Amino acid sequence: MAQSVLDRIYAEKIIAIVRGISSAQIVDLARALAEGGVSCIEVTFDQTNLEETLASLRAIKSELGDAVCLGAGTVMTAEQVELAAQAGAEYMISPNVDEAVIRATKALGKVSIPGAMTPTETAFAYQCGADIVKLFPAGLLGPAYVKAVKAPLKHIPVSAVGNITVDNCADFIQAGAVGVGVGGSLVSPLLVKEGHFDKITATARAYREKLR
């Protein structure tokens, strides 16, 4: 199962980062993203309201099933790994490197994508069992930074997250990233609130076109 999830992430090259969207609108959003060719969707934990995040994960899994490759983001504890997995998440993404979170994820047979910035953090995350290391905030550091980190660590798959746009996303792939994570530039809370899901679908298509 973990390998098929990884294969899908590698094939699409993009994970949509969903943050601050209510569980009432989450399914319509996920459907809009999938229609635009972005089916890898990360629902981030609201650390002040875990149940709302879990409700969103369960709703997407129940309504869309395998049409979406579902992950949980901002996973900060081993307990959150367990809760997210029970709600249907197949991969766990964190903003940091936490050995307990990585090992808990792997123990459940899920895909681990912790966040790191430095070569030391990147190497340690991989040593702990990470499948992909999320370089964050990659957009602020630029594709050249990704290329520099990859030079001595070419055996470690990395993704680029943070200020990734339609215009620069392909540059990070060319620099050596296996994929990108995109938040507000793709999943606009305002567009969701106003129900403009067609615009989100169009943006998703634009990203996929650039990443082909």
Side-chain angles (χ1 to χ4, degrees):
M1 176 61 81
Q3 188 56 53
S4 64
V5 170
L6 264 178
D7 290 344
R8 194 161 170 180
I9 292 171
Y10 274 104
E12 288 199 10
K13 298 185 179 67
I14 180 170
I15 296 175
I17 303 168
V18 177
R19 180 179 290 109
I21 305 300
S22 75
S23 56
Q25 292 187 293
I26 202 78
V27 172
D28 288 337
L29 170 60
R31 189 175 284 117
L33 289 166
E35 285 176 3
V38 177
S39 73
C40 294
I41 299 174
E42 166 198 346
V43 179
T44 64
F45 267 109
D46 177 347
Q47 296 296 325
T48 65
N49 189 353
L50 300 184
E51 190 48 50
E52 173 69 5
T53 304
L54 296 171
S56 291
L57 289 167
R58 286 191 291 264
I60 293 172
K61 194 67 177 177
S62 173
E63 293 294 323
L64 298 177
D66 291 340
V68 164
C69 185
L70 186 61
T74 318
V75 181
M76 303 295 291
T77 67
E79 179 189 17
Q80 288 172 16
V81 171
E82 192 82 36
L83 291 170
Q86 291 170 1
E90 297 294 345
Y91 50 96
M92 309 296 163
I93 302 180
S94 303
N96 61 324
V97 179
D98 186 314
E99 185 173 357
V101 169
I102 296 170
R103 297 204 183 282
T105 301
K106 299 308 293 179
L108 291 177
K110 306 301 180 183
V111 171
S112 172
I113 310 177
M117 186 175 78
T118 68
T120 298
E121 291 171 336
T122 302
F124 179 65
Y126 193 67
Q127 180 185 325
C128 290
D131 296 287
I132 299 170
V133 179
K134 176 181 82 172
L135 289 182
F136 173 80
L140 298 179
L141 299 168
Y145 183 76
V146 174
K147 186 175 182 179
V149 169
K150 281 289 292 182
L153 302 177
K154 60 184 178 182
H155 61 294
I156 301 178
V158 303
S159 63
V161 179
N163 294 292
I164 308 299
T165 67
V166 170
D167 292 331
N168 69 18
C169 62
D171 296 335
F172 287 95
I173 303 301
Q174 290 168 2
V178 298
V180 296
V182 184
S185 299
L186 171 58
V187 187
S188 163
L190 181 60
L191 290 180
V192 172
K193 184 178 179 181
E194 295 178 348
H196 295 309
F197 295 106
D198 56 329
K199 293 182 180 179
I200 291 172
T201 297
T203 304
R205 286 200 181 105
Y207 271 99
R208 282 304 307 277
E209 188 64 34
K210 288 283 188 176
L211 292 169
R212 275 192 170 87

